[in-house]
């Protein structure tokens, strides 16, 4: 308050001093005719009006008229005017000064309003851009009051959405009456109460909420624009969430269909073999010992296959539920690879396996059973998708302070478009999904296990040239 009073007093002092300066200059230094003096005073009035307002300009005009009469119109030194023409000149000067100051004041006010509108338009644009950064309804509701406060420089903002009881505030100490917020939602009309503007959030003709803005300086148009932007942003985010949810449900349905298709196919094959073998064993036609032994071997192998399929499905369910437990201890990667080769011997019988393990590799902290499972899945895939007789190469070494293990085959390769998808659950290549058995869970299991160890897994492949699957494990 004191600073404002000092500013007003300073302006009055400057204006009066300017009148005195003009008067002294034309009386003592440079003698001119009364018309020149009047024009000089008029310029001063216009300057004051354009910069400091009509009220101060009016006072300056009155003082300038008095000084013009007293010092420059005969008889000089009195407020008496001898010549009637001087009365007309004095009146014309006063009216001109008042009208000109009023026009200058209007121009100044319009300029200020234009600048204010421009500033508000820039703030509205910045506000609209900020609203686009949130894609979650709850995050947006928490962010809106703070955004409005920071962008428009307001003391505080509150937000209430239809159907919710929580009032979101820009800060905990923002105080306003929540009653008008609910009334604004019901009526859909803006109100002002105790210095707080209550603005409805509209989406077309529907009111979806209300804003409480602790400020009265913003124009009605700007307040309506803020309400519309917030309403549209909330509706957009809701629509995005619903679309995302719908896509997720569609993807889930697709995965369920893929799982059902894959599992049905995989379970039907061994069950068919088992059923055929059992039927043959139970038939009245006598079988020699070699035939009976062959049928029992088929039943045994297909039973193991079924057991493996069920185990993979159960393991995938555990991994999805975050129930993967690791029992890490320092292990030699050579022992892990040799153990996997022994376990996958039946799958590799039609391939030669070349093992190239760098010398003096340090031990790695890992769950030996789980990593042996990863190597086993990679070896099984290499054997499954490679032509019989083609070699499979296993290498292990240090790359960028990580233990890197690679399994390379000479199979058909993987399409570049599919290389980022093959580690997803139940995904199988378009050209191999019916050419080889499998449920599409093996690589997904590998990815979860490797990432749980803090490592990465990936593939480099070229159509017709084979594939190289590589996983890394941290040395420490």
């Amino acid at each position: 308050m004191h600073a404002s009073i000092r500013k007003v007093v300073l302006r009055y002092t400057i204006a009066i001093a300017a009148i005195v300066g003009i008067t002294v200059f034309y009386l003592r230094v440079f003698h001119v005719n009364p018309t020149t003096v009047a024009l000089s005073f008029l310029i001063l009035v216009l300057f004051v009006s354009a910069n400091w307002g009509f009220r101060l300009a009016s006072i300056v005009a009155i003082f300038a008229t008095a000084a013009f009469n007293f010092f420059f119109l005969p008889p000089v030194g009195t407020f008496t005017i001898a010549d009637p023409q001087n009365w007309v000149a004095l009146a014309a000067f006063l009216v001109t000064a008042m009208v000109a100051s009023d026009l200058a004041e209007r121009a100044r006010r319009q300029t200020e309003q234009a600048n204010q509108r421009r500033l508000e338009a820039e703030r509205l644009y910045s506000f609209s851009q900020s609203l686009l950064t949130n894609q979650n309804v709850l995050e947006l509701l928490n962010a809106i009051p703070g955004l409005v406060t920071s962008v428009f420089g307001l003391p505080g903002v509150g937000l209430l959405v239809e159907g919710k009881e929580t009032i979101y505030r820009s800060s905990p100490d923002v105080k306003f009456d929540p009653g008008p917020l609910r009334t604004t939602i019901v009526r859909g009309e803006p109100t002002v109460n105790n210095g707080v503007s209550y603005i409805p959030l509209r989406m077309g003709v529907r009111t979806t909420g209300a804003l409480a803005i602790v400020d009265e300086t913003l124009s009605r148009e700007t307040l309506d624009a803020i309400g519309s932007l917030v309403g549209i942003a909330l509706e957009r985010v809701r629509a995005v969430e619903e679309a995302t949810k719908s896509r997720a449900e569609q993807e889930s349905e697709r995965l369920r269909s893929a799982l059902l298709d894959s599992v049905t196919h995989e379970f039907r094959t061994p069950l068919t073999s088992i059923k055929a073998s059992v039927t043959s064993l139970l038939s009245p036609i006598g079988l020699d010992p070699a035939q009976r032994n062959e049928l029992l071997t088929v039943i045994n192998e297909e039973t193991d296959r079924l057991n493996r399929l069920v185990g993979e499905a159960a393991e995938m369910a555990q991994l999805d539920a975050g129930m993967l437990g690791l029992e890490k201890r320092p292990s030699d990667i050579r022992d892990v690879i040799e153990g996997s080769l022994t376990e996958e011997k039946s799958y590799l019988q039609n391939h030669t396996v070349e093992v190239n393990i760098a010398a003096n590799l340090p031990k790695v902290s890992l769950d030996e059973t789980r990593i042996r499972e990863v190597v086993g899945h990679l070896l099984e895939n290499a054997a499954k998708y490679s032509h019989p007789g083609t070699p499979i190469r296993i290498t292990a070494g240090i790359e960028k302070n990580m233990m890197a293990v690679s399994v390379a085959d000479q199979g058909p390769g993987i399409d570049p478009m599919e290389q980022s998808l093959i580690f997803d659950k139940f995904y199988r290549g378009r050209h191999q999904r019916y050419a080889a058995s499998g449920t599409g869970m093996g690589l997904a299991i590998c990815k979860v296990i490797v990432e749980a160890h803090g490592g990465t897994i990936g593939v480099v492949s070229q159509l017709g040239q084979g594939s190289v699957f590589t996983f890394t494990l941290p040395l420490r």
Side-chain angles (χ1 to χ4, degrees):
M1 178 65 78
H2 296 294
S4 178
I5 293 176
R6 284 197 297 269
K7 184 184 293 184
V8 172
V9 171
L10 179 61
R11 289 176 178 177
Y12 274 90
T13 302
I14 293 173
I16 299 302
I19 295 173
V20 174
I22 292 172
T23 302
V24 172
F25 179 76
Y26 286 136
L27 286 177
R28 304 290 186 185
V29 180
F30 191 65
H31 299 283
V32 295
N33 58 46
T35 302
T36 303
V37 177
L39 290 174
S40 299
F41 281 131
L42 184 59
I43 291 173
L44 175 63
V45 172
L46 291 175
F47 174 82
V48 172
S49 177
N51 290 278
W52 296 335
F54 178 72
R55 180 180 297 177
L56 181 55
S58 300
I59 295 174
V60 171
I62 294 172
F63 275 95
T65 302
F68 182 54
N69 181 13
F70 190 84
F71 292 104
F72 299 99
L73 291 181
V76 175
T78 68
F79 289 103
T80 303
I81 299 177
D83 189 347
Q85 293 183 2
N86 290 338
W87 278 106
V88 176
L90 187 63
F93 169 77
L94 182 59
V95 170
T96 302
M98 298 297 289
V99 171
S101 63
D102 180 59
L103 293 174
E105 165 68 8
R106 290 184 185 180
R108 184 182 66 84
R109 193 175 303 156
Q110 290 175 355
T111 301
E112 289 180 351
Q113 290 175 352
N115 288 333
Q116 181 67 20
R117 294 290 184 272
R118 177 185 58 79
L119 181 60
E120 289 180 359
E122 291 175 353
R123 288 175 172 175
L124 285 172
Y125 175 77
S126 174
F127 180 60
S128 66
Q129 293 297 106
S130 299
L131 291 176
L132 294 175
T133 60
N134 288 281
Q135 300 295 331
N136 178 275
V137 171
L138 185 58
E139 290 180 0
L140 186 61
L141 290 173
N142 283 294
I144 283 173
L147 283 175
V148 178
T149 301
S150 61
V151 172
F152 293 93
L154 304 175
V157 173
L159 169 65
L160 178 63
V161 178
E162 184 182 22
K164 292 183 177 291
E165 295 297 326
T166 304
I167 297 178
Y168 301 90
R169 303 169 186 263
S170 56
S171 61
D173 57 347
V174 176
K175 294 185 173 18
F176 54 85
D177 186 3
L181 263 179
R182 297 182 173 87
T183 303
T184 301
I185 295 177
V186 174
R187 294 182 177 179
E189 294 293 333
T191 58
V192 178
N193 186 4
N194 295 327
V196 181
S197 299
Y198 297 91
I199 309 300
L201 309 181
R202 290 193 181 94
M203 188 61 192
V205 296
R206 183 168 60 93
T207 302
T208 59
L211 277 174
I213 297 179
V214 187
D215 185 76
E216 293 185 9
T217 59
L218 295 179
S219 65
R220 172 68 181 275
E221 294 80 6
T222 300
L223 292 174
D224 290 341
I226 293 174
S228 298
L229 286 173
V230 172
I232 292 172
L234 289 173
E235 197 66 23
R236 180 188 64 82
V237 172
R238 287 195 187 100
V240 169
E241 284 195 344
E242 290 177 1
T244 304
K245 183 179 179 182
S246 176
R247 285 197 299 269
E249 290 175 352
Q250 292 175 0
E251 181 66 15
S252 177
E253 183 63 29
R254 186 188 69 80
L255 288 175
R256 281 196 295 269
S257 299
L259 175 62
L260 182 61
D261 177 67
S262 179
V263 170
T264 301
H265 175 75
E266 289 303 311
F267 275 77
R268 182 176 293 158
T269 301
L271 284 174
T272 301
S273 299
I274 293 172
K275 178 66 175 177
S277 299
V278 172
T279 302
S280 299
L281 289 171
L282 295 175
S283 68
I285 302 175
L287 299 175
D288 58 44
Q291 291 175 325
R292 291 177 61 86
N293 185 62
E294 182 181 355
L295 292 175
L296 290 172
T297 301
V298 170
I299 293 174
N300 182 59
E301 291 177 350
E302 295 302 327
T303 304
D304 289 341
R305 181 177 174 186
L306 274 176
N307 184 58
R308 180 165 184 156
L309 290 173
V310 173
E312 284 186 354
E315 185 176 14
M316 195 72 249
Q318 288 181 340
L319 297 179
D320 281 344
M323 299 172 62
L324 176 63
L326 298 179
E327 297 180 4
K328 292 184 179 181
R329 63 174 182 272
S331 303
D332 190 332
I333 197 66
R334 187 184 301 272
D335 295 336
V336 174
I337 293 174
E338 290 177 353
S340 297
L341 289 172
T342 301
E343 292 177 356
E344 304 297 328
K345 188 175 182 180
S346 60
Y347 284 96
L348 300 172
Q349 58 186 353
N350 295 324
H351 298 270
T352 58
V353 180
E354 301 174 5
V355 181
N356 183 10
I357 301 176
N360 301 321
L361 288 179
K363 290 188 175 183
V364 184
S365 178
L366 51 81
D367 185 322
E368 190 169 330
T369 302
R370 293 292 188 180
I371 298 301
R372 204 164 52 234
E373 182 180 355
V374 171
V375 178
H377 278 299
L378 297 181
L379 289 171
E380 182 181 338
N381 279 352
K384 187 187 302 181
Y385 294 108
S386 300
H387 294 295
T390 56
I392 297 173
R393 295 180 178 85
I394 303 176
T395 60
I398 305 297
E399 293 183 6
K400 298 179 180 179
N401 296 321
M402 302 281 282
M403 175 69 70
V405 179
S406 298
V407 176
D409 62 55
Q410 294 183 11
I414 303 169
D415 190 290
M417 298 295 293
E418 294 185 304
Q419 292 180 17
S420 61
L421 302 174
I422 59 175
F423 294 98
D424 293 342
K425 290 180 296 183
F426 314 124
Y427 185 85
R428 302 183 68 201
R430 290 176 296 174
H431 304 295
Q432 286 80 34
R433 62 184 58 173
Y434 300 114
S437 62
T439 60
M441 291 186 288
L443 289 178
I445 293 174
C446 291
K447 181 180 180 183
V448 174
I449 293 174
V450 171
E451 290 181 349
H453 281 79
T456 61
I457 186 170
V459 62
V460 176
S461 183
Q462 185 177 354
L463 289 176
Q465 302 297 321
S467 305
V468 180
F469 285 86
T470 303
F471 68 89
T472 63
L473 300 172
L475 291 176
R476 295 183 180 180

